[in-house]
Amino acid sequence: MQHEITKPQRLLDSNGNIAEPGFAKRLLWQYSRDDIKAPKIRIKEWDYYYIGNQDYALCLTLSDAGFVSCLSVSHLEFGKNPVQTNDSELGFFPLGKLNLPATSEVGDVRAKVGTLDMNFENDGTKRRLSGTYKNYCNTKKTLTFDITLTEIPEESMVIATPFDKDKHFYYNQKINCMRADGFFEFDGRRYEFNRENGSLATLDWGRGVWTYDNTWYWGSGQMVLEDGNIFGFNIGYGFGNTSAASENMLFYNGKSHKLEDITFNIPMENGTYKYMEPWTFTSSDGRFEMTFKPIIDRQAPVDLKLICMIPHQVFGLISGTAILDNGTKIEVKDKLVFAERVHNKW
């Protein structure tokens, strides 16, 4: 069952539960922290941007998990000698003080934690992401970025998902395939994002009250096809009770195409995931059949036993076929995407 929401409505009912679970192609549900009935320390809010092309990428996170805030930057290179650097700054008990916007459509946020100063500006037409990270990765060197996102697609993936626990929910939008122009600079090298090198950006915008122990799967891709058309996808599960709708969706030239269930087939040996061996993705409706060759397993684990965040965000090359709502078959060959398995106790 894929229940689509087509009219604006409030996200939560008077008990703090999702009034009407499902998916939408625009941000139709109206979110407010004032409607949440759970304690403030349980509220999770984040903006995560991925900006990349076939050669390199930048990941930017600004999050408020109630008991801790996290600002992070990751720099990735996918060539013959892959590179990944990750660094983050933690603050304690922000409890909404970061003032993350209640909508992804407009609103600015500026945050500074430790030596990382981050600005996300959104006037409703374009988004500017800028900031500086002094002493990035303890190098005594500064990473700087200034990137503008335009050509925001008309449709995106939006989902309102309950958990099987009262007052718990997840509200999420994934905007794929935004055009990216700008740069990041570190250690004497400047990395350019522009139309000529096929640079695109994805926003993962999340708001909700999560249960304590969660394992989720998420995959995302965006690319310029050989014929010049823009294609992307969002796949995943483990984000709550998805009986009303999955978050699996294709994107083609700004339009969304809904998928049924997707399975991440990650190699395993003796009970241990082998993240750097080839994966496959299979679909219940036959519309997303892909192979995935890993290049980088981005890990930035925090394990304090009672609280843990253990991500495996794997970047690699995907090949295979996807089928749009009208039956058009999209052929993909060795395009850079990412997929992850994350275990959190939070």
Side-chain angles (χ1 to χ4, degrees), residues 120-146:
F120 294 168
E121 300 171 68
N122 177 12
D123 64 7
T125 302
K126 64 182 183 298
R127 299 162 188 265
R128 183 183 178 194
L129 318 175
S130 61
T132 57
Y133 199 160
K134 298 178 181 177
N135 194 29
Y136 178 65
C137 292
N138 296 313
T139 60
K140 297 183 180 179
K141 299 174 182 178
T142 298
L143 184 148
T144 302
F145 60 93
D146 194 338

Side-chain angles (χ1 to χ4, degrees), residues 35-66:
D35 293 341
I36 297 174
K37 303 305 181 184
K40 286 185 178 181
I41 202 167
R42 299 298 306 153
I43 300 173
K44 318 286 186 217
E45 299 181 327
W46 67 78
D47 290 8
Y48 166 86
Y49 284 95
Y50 170 81
I51 309 100
N53 51 45
Q54 285 287 107
D55 299 315
Y56 46 80
L58 190 69
C59 306
L60 306 171
T61 305
L62 202 164
S63 69
D64 179 340

